[in-house]
Amino acid sequence: MTDSQQQAPTQGEAELIANRRAKLKRWREELGLQPYGHRVDGLVSLADARALFDQQASDAMEAEETPAEDPRPRAHVAGRVMQHRAMGKLTFMSLRDSSGDLQVSLSKADLPVEQFKLASKVDYGDIVVAHGPVGKTKRGEVCIWADSFEVHCKSLAPPPEKFHGLADPEARARRRYVDMYTNADTMETFLFRSKLVASTRTFMQDRGFLEVETPMMHAVAGGAAARPFMTHHNTLDLDLYMRIAPELYLKRLLVGGMNKVFEVNRNFRNEGISRRHNPEFTMMEVYEAFGDRASMLELTESLFRHLAETIIGNTIIEWGEYTIDYSKPFTQVTYADLFERAHAMDMRDEAAVRTLAAKRGLGDASTRDHWLLVEALFEHAEEHIDPNTPTFVVDFPSATSPLARPREDDPTLAWRSELFIAGMELCNAYTELNDPDVQRNYFTSQMDGIDEEAAAFRSMDEDFLDALMVGMPPAGGLGIGIDRMVMLLTGRTSIRDVILFPLLRPEGGE
């Protein structure tokens, strides 16, 4: 089945579209209407219009049959028609914008004849503008009693049946523009996301961090162990990679003299898609000269608590079957303890690790690097973290943490931590490695350990190593997944529910 066949309207939908087009033609020819609008000044949101309601003024209006002057406040609003009833000399419609819904009541006695006729004929989905006093209906519902009415966009596509909104998750993600106006919870999620990002930026700026922007296209794929997307720069005739992480460029800024920086932007990893993974995702990365892992953990914990308190208004938040309390201090557990809890063995016991890895079918366990086997087995250890308790896993093996500083008391471990909440990894924090010779050795070991396919797009970032030779101050670094943070604080359990336009396979594709 081709894309065009998949997307073609059904016979019923085609008839509705034809009827709407016929109505559009009549409006133009009979009413001289241009139903695709123009600039309108003085508009307020539907929520702000509702807030203008004055009970005393409304009562005074009802008490006088012919008042000399209408005491009710007036509002000029725009919205999409969600419900519509034409009842002879009265027409009622419910409008919706990003702030919510509001009824507009229209009386034949209050409107020019052509405007009232137009109001009685609008369709669900049309975008209209109304102006009039804010009052209430006989049933006590706050509304605008319109004395001016215009259509500013004729909707030609039929809305979801009965305006219950799109129900199918695939359709909701694919037609987000319909999902947003028909499902109020979707709009609320993305309004929340915008507030969360804005509040995060303010939080960081209040702590003295400077927001920066670094390149999205890299000559060398680095900053994280992941498969990149490739592109080509025609003018320079240069193969480039969409960035996996901004880390190495942000560290260059520390070298240059910016002491506290952060960036909120996209990363791209050419890997799997699931309820918790999307190849294009939003991260915030943070670097603080003369900070360390401990300062980054404090920053992370304070940020989560701040967002829960200021945006949600509650530090206890439900997420699926879990209840997470962000007011309590986050827990810490070492990587080694968690590994032993999961597998009943010491991660340094190479023979035991190789035996278990062989049973699990993790490649050639007899020759593969011991620490890479530990890393592969650790995925099962993550299941032993209490999902209800925000938990920092600390002291990762240095061999699998090439950008983190080794512990002085045990160089086989690194000053690295990851935060887990509700079974998801939320952040990665380091005391950063700033010794250029040790960094080169780690990069060399990492290059020697990767497979042939990975080696095709991995190479040594000599410019970054040159920057470390110039000298980078000791620092703490942090990366937080914004999409997963939004998931946790909104109760969403699928990452594509918090991404406006997630990448999907084309309709009808294999």
Side-chain angles (χ1 to χ4, degrees):
M1 181 179 290
T2 66
D3 291 355
S4 59
Q5 289 174 323
Q6 179 70 20
Q7 297 172 358
T10 65
Q11 181 177 350
E13 290 172 337
E15 290 176 356
L16 289 173
I17 292 172
N19 291 339
R20 289 180 177 229
R21 286 192 175 279
K23 184 179 290 188
L24 174 63
K25 182 179 180 181
R26 289 196 302 273
W27 283 359
R28 283 172 164 161
E29 294 177 353
E30 299 175 12
L31 303 179
L33 182 68
Q34 174 46 263
Y36 288 101
H38 51 74
R39 170 177 166 174
V40 179
D41 293 326
L43 292 171
V44 300
S45 72
L46 297 180
D48 286 346
R50 178 183 292 277
L52 290 173
F53 175 72
D54 185 323
Q55 183 66 55
Q56 187 174 356
S58 183
D59 292 342
M61 182 67 182
E62 293 178 1
E64 300 184 49
E65 294 185 4
T66 56
E69 184 176 344
D70 192 334
R72 298 172 297 181
R74 298 177 64 82
H76 204 176
V77 300
R80 192 179 291 273
V81 177
M82 301 299 292
Q83 295 180 4
H84 181 262
R85 289 178 294 141
M87 305 169 62
K89 296 181 179 181
L90 290 175
T91 293
F92 301 96
M93 62 183 70
S94 177
L95 303 188
R96 176 172 294 173
D97 68 8
S98 62
S99 71
D101 294 2
L102 182 65
Q103 180 169 303
V104 173
S105 304
L106 308 102
S107 170
K108 188 174 183 180
D110 295 334
L111 284 166
V113 174
E114 293 304 323
Q115 289 187 21
F116 183 77
K117 181 178 179 181
L118 182 65
S120 66
K121 300 296 183 181
V122 298
D123 290 313
Y124 290 175
D126 290 351
I127 298 174
V128 303
V129 172
H131 184 243
V134 182
K136 62 180 180 180
T137 65
K138 290 183 177 179
R139 295 183 177 181
E141 182 173 354
V142 174
C143 71
I144 290 179
W145 282 100
D147 49 33
S148 172
F149 180 83
E150 298 173 330
V151 173
H152 278 252
C153 184
K154 178 68 188 141
S155 176
L156 297 178
E161 185 180 0
K162 296 182 181 180
F163 265 73
H164 289 162
L166 295 176
D168 178 63
E170 180 84 7
R172 294 181 69 169
R174 196 174 294 281
R175 302 187 71 205
R176 185 69 83 201
Y177 43 88
V178 177
D179 179 35
M180 289 174 67
Y181 87 81
T182 59
N183 293 301
D185 60 334
T186 297
M187 179 65 77
E188 290 173 4
T189 294
F190 290 110
L191 292 178
F192 176 90
R193 180 184 176 120
S194 182
K195 292 177 183 176
L196 178 143
V197 173
S199 184
T200 297
R201 285 189 160 105
T202 299
F203 176 89
M204 296 302 298
Q205 290 161 357
D206 287 347
R207 286 195 169 213
F209 286 86
L210 178 70
E211 184 171 11
V212 297
E213 294 182 358
T214 59
M216 304 293 282
M217 294 187 295
H218 294 180
V220 177
R227 184 184 182 89
F229 288 93
M230 297 184 66
T231 186
H232 185 79
H233 194 299
N234 291 335
T235 301
L236 298 179
D237 190 23
L238 183 66
D239 288 334
L240 296 170
Y241 306 94
M242 300 303 294
R243 77 171 180 201
I244 297 172
E247 177 169 349
L248 302 188
Y249 278 97
L250 290 170
K251 287 181 176 179
R252 287 171 169 92
L253 299 182
L254 297 187
V255 174
M258 290 183 176
N259 285 335
K260 299 175 75 172
V261 296
F262 78 100
E263 180 171 10
V264 179
N265 221 320
R266 294 288 199 278
N267 291 346
F268 305 86
R269 299 182 183 180
N270 197 357
E271 297 173 344
I273 297 176
S274 70
R275 295 180 66 83
R276 300 182 179 185
H277 295 85
N278 197 65
E280 177 185 2
F281 60 98
T282 303
M283 288 278 291
M284 179 176 74
E285 290 221 9
V286 181
Y287 292 88
E288 179 182 15
F290 301 101
D292 62 5
R293 184 186 71 181
S295 65
M296 293 297 102
L297 298 193
E298 184 280 325
L299 181 73
T300 303
E301 187 170 339
S302 296
L303 174 60
F304 271 89
R305 190 167 297 122
H306 167 78
L307 293 174
E309 290 174 346
T310 59
I311 303 182
I312 302 292
N314 190 349
T315 56
I316 300 176
I317 299 173
E318 302 287 336
W319 194 80
E321 61 187 295
Y322 308 128
T323 301
I324 302 157
D325 188 348
Y326 293 96
S327 69
K328 297 179 179 179
F330 290 9
T331 298
Q332 291 192 20
V333 60
T334 68
Y335 188 102
D337 286 346
L338 197 59
F339 189 93
E340 186 168 3
R341 187 186 305 173
H343 301 301
M345 68 175 64
D346 189 329
M347 68 179 184
R348 299 176 188 275
D349 186 338
E350 186 171 335
V353 167
R354 291 191 183 282
T355 298
L356 179 59
K359 290 181 179 178
R360 297 282 174 86
L362 299 179
D364 188 349
S366 62
T367 59
R368 193 176 177 189
D369 181 83
H370 163 238
W371 289 110
L372 291 180
L373 294 175
V374 169
E375 182 180 45
L377 290 169
F378 186 76
E379 292 185 7
H380 299 283
E382 294 173 3
E383 300 171 2
H384 291 260
I385 301 171
D386 180 1
N388 296 284
T389 303
T391 301
F392 290 115
V393 179
V394 301
D395 299 342
F396 280 62
S398 293
T400 59
S401 309
L403 292 163
R405 173 179 286 193
R407 289 185 64 106
E408 292 77 11
D409 57 347
D410 184 353
T412 65
L413 303 178
W415 290 109
R416 175 185 172 189
S417 175
E418 290 185 357
L419 173 63
F420 288 84
I421 306 176
M424 290 192 295
E425 179 200 337
L426 270 295
C427 89
N428 206 354
Y430 299 166
T431 296
E432 300 297 337
L433 176 58
N434 65 337
D435 183 324
D437 294 330
V438 175
Q439 185 65 84
R440 179 177 289 278
N441 289 337
Y442 274 141
F443 278 173
T444 300
S445 298
Q446 188 181 45
M447 291 294 296
D448 291 341
I450 62 179
D451 59 33
E452 184 176 341
E453 181 183 16
F457 52 80
R458 295 299 294 276
S459 59
M460 193 82 73
D461 192 335
E462 292 290 349
D463 183 74
F464 173 67
L465 292 171
D466 179 65
L468 291 187
M469 290 283 290
V470 172
M472 187 183 86
L478 166 69
I480 297 180
I482 297 294
D483 305 309
R484 290 184 178 182
M485 183 188 291
V486 176
M487 286 173 64
L488 280 173
L489 296 180
T490 59
R492 297 290 191 166
T493 56
S494 174
I495 196 169
R496 72 179 181 182
D497 288 341
V498 301
I499 296 175
L500 278 168
F501 300 104
L503 183 65
L504 301 169
R505 191 186 303 276
E507 287 186 286
E510 295 296 327

